[in-house]
Every structure is written in C-alpha cells, then in structure tokens.
C-alpha cells in the first residue's frame, strides 16, 4: 500500500510558527473527520450528491464492456486518438503516461507488442492539431471522443474536423473508427452517436469530469493500449477500504486534507505543490492541479455565505524543478505545502559507469541514477525543513497499475474531505461553466445572443 509521512509538517520539526502540532490537531478534529467520512460514505449512493465516483471501482459491468470492446478492436488500429479536455482528458493522460513504457509512441510495433500508440488532443491550437493530423494515418486510428456534457466547444470542434477527414477517406464505414464516451441520455454527442451508429460508453450520472478517471473515461484509453485495468480497479478497491476508516490516525487522505486545510486557514499557506520524483508521474501533477483547483476554488459556502476560498495547486517535477522552483520554495514566501511523491522501486536500475577520475564527478561512478534520485529528494526535503517549510511525502512501492490507481483515488478522497472542511460544494464548477457559456456566446451559438451582446460591450470597455 501507499505510505504517507507528515512529520515534516509538524511544529516539532519545523517550529511553531510554520508547523502544526499534528497530534493535537488530529485529536481536535477526530470527531469532525469521522463525521465527514461517515457522511461521504452515506451520501455516495444517493442520487444528486455527485459522489458516484466513489462507486466506480465496483461497476463490474463497465469493466467488462471496456475489456470486451478493447479485445474486439485489438490489432485493428495503429493509433488511439483521444479528443477531450479537462477532466475528460487528464485522467487517461495521467494513467497512460505513468503506466505505459516510457516514450511508448516512439517504440516500434514489435516493442509495443503490436499495441497501438496513443495521443491525447486536449487543446485547440490549430498548429498542433494540424501537426498531429499530418503525422497520423487517420484510417488506422481509433478516435475516442470524450465529453460528459456532449457539447464542449473545444472537443466538439476537434471532433468535427476529425470526423470530416475520416468520412472523406472511409465513407460510411468511418463510424467504426469512432468510439464516444459521453452522458447516457443528454448532449449533442449522444444524439450524433445514435444517429450515426457509433460505439458508445457512458460517463455515469453524478460523476464530475475531474472525478471520472475510473469510469470508461480513463479506463477505455488504458484498455485500448493493453494496460491491466483489473489491477487499476484492485488498487482503487484496496485504497477505498483503507480510506473508509473514520479514524484520522489511520486515514491518510483525511490527514493530508486536514494538514492542507489548517495550513491555509491558520498559517496562510494556501499553495499546494505536487512534486513527484518520477517523470512517469508528471501528468499526475496536471491531473491533481485540476482536481484541487476546480473542486476547492469556490466563492460561496454550503450555507450560501460569500467566502472565496481555495488553495492554489502547483505542479513541479523532481529532480528537474530543483533547478527552477526550489530556490523560491526554500527562500521565498513561506506559503506552501509541498507534497513529495516518491517511488521506492523503479523498474530499472541504471548504473553510472566509472569512467572519469576527476574528483568533481568521479564520485558518481559506480552509483546508480536511482541512488541519485533518492539523494536529490532527501536533500531537498532536508533543505526545505531547515528553512521551516512544511512538506509531506507519499511513497509508492512501484509505478504500476495498482499503486498509481491508489495514488489517484487517495487524492480524490483527500479532495472530497478538504471540500467538507472548507464547507463548500467540491463537486460543482460554476466558474468553468461560465467561461464555457461565454465561449458559446462569442462563437454565435443559438440561445446565447444576450450574453454575446453583453460580452461585446464589455470587451469594448476593456483595454
Ligand atoms: O471537471 C470538470 O467537470 C471539467 O473540467 C470538465 O471535465 C471539462 O470542462 C470538460 O467537460 P466535458 O467532459 O463536458 O466536455
């Protein structure tokens, strides 16, 4: 199982001005945390609570259909192209980047055991989209278009471009190159899929985009490139069992949620840095940034009071960002909680050859990159602690399906608990919806004329 250490956020280690008396705080919040965990587990089965993501690991039917479809299309495509944005792309991207062999798309077909390459288009930059379309043979590409609402402008614009090319190349059989993941009833993509006869998967009700990674949204891309989605689900189930424990002394999601919450409200440390010491986990940071930002950045609490809360998430990568961000973290404002994610066992042990006598680098010879990575993480932890900067450490045994799934589920539950501590709705995103609606208005969508006029006036006033 994943390990968690929070000693370096304790006042005993980093002093009373910057650290928390953790045992005292855990005792103070013991009942509150137990109540939150009990309440989340009670509400998760009720409609409209937006907590169905807590049940995704137990949806055997989806797992079965995803595996069946992946087996059916196996050997038929050279590439998988995922179209989606935000929660519809980041989960699949984080999982596949972490779990496939590094540089997967550069490997030969033989090195990939005949499995397809995978690409995520999560932006609408015309140059990069055009570049990718020029690089891919779309006839040999399975397009997985993912949008829960079924009408997000970015995703649907991408889809219309790709569909047009596919139809021109393949005629009516183009539909076999498309699989749509969307709401079961509503949205334009659902309508199109039914009219045109696409294979579809469902984003279940009450599962927000950023919590959808263990639905078909994240599992299908993984299965299409041959990842063991049973192991992913096993990891989630085991972590779910652990995190159902209402005792804060045993519940690591509750501990980290409380640390972040108290560091923010008591000590004004409202930046949360996610810093894995593993390149394969770099997109886990992107996924975490969305999860934490969209869930916790809110301007109204559950009682309708105006508040404006939300710790700002930041992504970092060890050891790379020791050479960019750590100067700021050591010496700049002491306003952050730094989350290290460490890996105990890399798949590879890479030895540094003993080829130079120079004293300045000779010490590296005969050591491994693994040792160097550990030394980098240890030294950064110590130097941050010397500067009274709070850090916590999450340790994975390995970067594999089981442990990475555990990490993501841990962070989801941690986010849900943090939302309850802030007394906000962690599962809505009115700020995102507003900018989506403004985009629709500016692009001339029917029904948005009033907004369009207002926006034109506002834009004329702005510099
Ligand atoms: O987490 C969320 O709800 C959002 O980030 C959505 O995932 C994102 O806006 C994309 O929405 P949709 O899946 O409806 O296209």
């Amino acid at each position: 199982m994943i390990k968690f250490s929070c000693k370096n956020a304790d006042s005993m280690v980093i002093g009373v001005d910057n650290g928390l008396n953790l045992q005292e705080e855990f005792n103070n919040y013991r009942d509150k945390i137990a109540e939150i965990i009990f309440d989340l587990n009670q509400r998760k089965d009720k409609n409209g609570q937006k907590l169905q993501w807590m049940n995704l690991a137990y949806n055997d039917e989806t797992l079965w259909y995803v595996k069946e479809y992946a087996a059916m299309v196996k050997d038929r495509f050279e590439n998988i192209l995922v179209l989606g944005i935000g929660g519809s792309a980041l989960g699949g991207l984080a999982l596949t980047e972490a779990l496939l062999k590094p540089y997967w798309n550069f490997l030969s077909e033989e090195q990939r055991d005949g499995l397809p390459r995978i690409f995520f288009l999560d932006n609408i930059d015309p140059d990069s989209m055009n570049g990718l379309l020029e690089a891919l043979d779309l006839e040999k590409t399975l397009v997985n278009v993912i949008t829960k609402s079924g009408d997000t402008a970015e995703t649907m614009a991408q889809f219309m471009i790709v569909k047009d090319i596919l139809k021109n190349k393949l005629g009516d059989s183009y539909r076999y190159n498309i699989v749509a993941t969307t709401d079961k009833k509503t949205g334009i993509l659902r309508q199109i899929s039914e009219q045109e006869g696409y294979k579809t998967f469902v984003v279940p009700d009450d599962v927000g985009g950023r919590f959808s990674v263990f639905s078909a949204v994240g599992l299908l891309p993984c299965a299409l490139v041959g990842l063991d989605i049973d192991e992913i689900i096993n990891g989630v189930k085991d972590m779910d069992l652990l995190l159902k424990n209402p005792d804060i002394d045993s519940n690591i999601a509750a501990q980290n949620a409380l640390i972040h919450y108290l560091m923010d409200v008591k000590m004004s440390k409202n930046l949360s840095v996610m810093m894995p010491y593993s390149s394969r986990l770099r997109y886990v940071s992107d996924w975490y940034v969305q999860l934490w930002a969209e869930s916790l950045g809110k301007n109204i609490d559950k009682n309708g009071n105006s508040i404006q809360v939300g710790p700002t998430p930041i992504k970092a990568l060890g050891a790379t960002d020791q050479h960019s961000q750590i100067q700021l973290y050591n010496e700049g404002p002491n306003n952050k909680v730094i989350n290290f994610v460490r890996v105990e066992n890399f798949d590879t042990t890479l030895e540094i050859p003993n080829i130079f006598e120079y004293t300045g680098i000779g010490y590296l010879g005969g050591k491994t990159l693994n040792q160097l990575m550990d030394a980098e993480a240890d030294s950064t932890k110590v130097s941050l602690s010397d500067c009274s900067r709070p850090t916590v450490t999450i340790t994975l045994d390995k970067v594999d399906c089981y442990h990475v799934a555990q990490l993501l589920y841990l962070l989801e539950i941690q986010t849900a608990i943090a939302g309850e501590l802030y007394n906000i709705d962690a599962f809505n995103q009115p700020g995102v919806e507003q900018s989506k609606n403004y985009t629709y208005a500016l692009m001339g969508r029917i029904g948005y004329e009033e907004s369009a006029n207002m926006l034109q006036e506002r834009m004329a006033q702005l510099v």
Side-chain angles (χ1 to χ4, degrees), residues 85-88 146-150 152 155 208-210 290 294 429 432 436:
I85 197 163
S88 286
I146 310 178
T147 161
K148 179 177 167 61
S149 59
T152 299
T155 306
R210 58 193 176 277
Q290 190 216 4
E294 276 190 7
Q429 54 285 325
V432 178
K436 277 188 177 182

Side-chain angles (χ1 to χ4, degrees), residues 51-69:
L51 287 167
Q52 275 303 322
W53 55 271
M54 292 176 73
N55 294 322
L56 291 174
Y58 306 97
N59 189 337
D60 294 340
E61 207 181 326
T62 298
L63 198 63
W64 192 88
Y65 281 119
V66 165
K67 286 194 288 188
E68 189 213 29
Y69 179 72

Side-chain angles (χ1 to χ4, degrees), residues 163-384:
K163 182 204 150 166
D164 193 45
I165 301 173
L166 274 175
K167 195 156 187 185
N168 286 336
K169 283 186 180 225
L170 295 170
D172 279 348
S173 67
Y174 89 95
R175 67 175 186 274
Y176 300 116
N177 286 47
I178 292 174
V179 51
T181 309
T182 190
D183 188 82
K184 71 171 179 294
K185 283 203 203 111
T186 61
I188 299 161
L189 184 61
R190 172 57 60 187
Q191 269 177 36
I192 298 173
S193 301
E194 278 166 17
Q195 272 158 18
E196 311 262 319
Y198 305 152
K199 171 74 186 169
T200 60
F201 285 88
V202 168
V203 188
D205 292 344
D206 282 333
V207 176
R210 58 193 176 277
F211 289 91
S212 67
V213 57
F214 300 117
S215 71
V217 171
L219 293 181
L220 182 60
C222 288
L224 291 170
V225 289
L227 291 171
D228 185 349
I229 60 172
D230 286 320
E231 247 335 72
I232 290 177
I233 293 301
N234 288 340
V236 179
K237 282 181 177 165
D238 287 351
M239 186 48 80
D240 186 42
L241 265 184
L242 191 78
L243 300 182
K244 280 201 165 85
N245 191 333
D247 178 4
I248 188 164
D249 290 333
S250 310
N251 191 314
I252 58 179
Q255 291 174 10
N256 208 19
L258 184 62
I259 289 167
H260 277 79
Y261 170 71
L262 291 176
M263 285 290 183
D264 178 4
V265 299
K266 283 191 154 182
M267 298 190 159
S268 302
K269 298 185 199 300
N270 63 357
L271 304 179
S272 171
V273 180
M274 181 54 67
M275 189 165 186
Y277 276 73
S278 155
S279 297
R280 294 169 69 184
L281 297 178
R282 72 192 311 157
Y283 286 105
V284 170
S285 300
D286 289 63
W287 174 87
Y288 170 76
V289 164
Q290 190 216 4
L291 179 71
W292 202 241
E294 276 190 7
S295 303
L296 302 181
K298 299 289 153 71
N299 66 5
I300 193 161
D301 73 9
K302 285 189 184 177
N303 308 323
N305 302 313
S306 175
I307 41 168
Q308 295 190 338
V309 292
T312 301
I314 299 172
K315 55 183 179 177
L317 178 67
T320 308
D321 285 319
Q322 288 185 195
H323 300 267
S324 75
Q325 300 179 24
I326 287 297
Q327 170 60 33
L328 173 71
Y329 297 169
N330 264 331
E331 295 189 6
N334 193 344
N335 56 359
K336 302 166 195 71
V337 180
I338 296 161
N339 295 261
F340 289 120
V341 179
R342 297 189 56 172
V343 177
E344 247 161 27
N345 297 295
F346 287 89
D347 289 355
T348 314
T349 302
L350 205 54
E351 196 166 321
I352 308 164
N354 224 331
I355 52 172
F356 291 121
E357 296 299 313
Y358 302 98
T359 43
I361 55 169
Y363 69 95
L364 292 169
K367 310 269 176 34
T368 63
L369 283 191
N370 311 53
Q371 285 172 296
L372 183 57
M373 189 66 120
D374 277 343
E376 303 266 4
D378 285 339
S379 58
T380 305
K381 187 170 68 180
V382 173
S383 69
L384 286 165

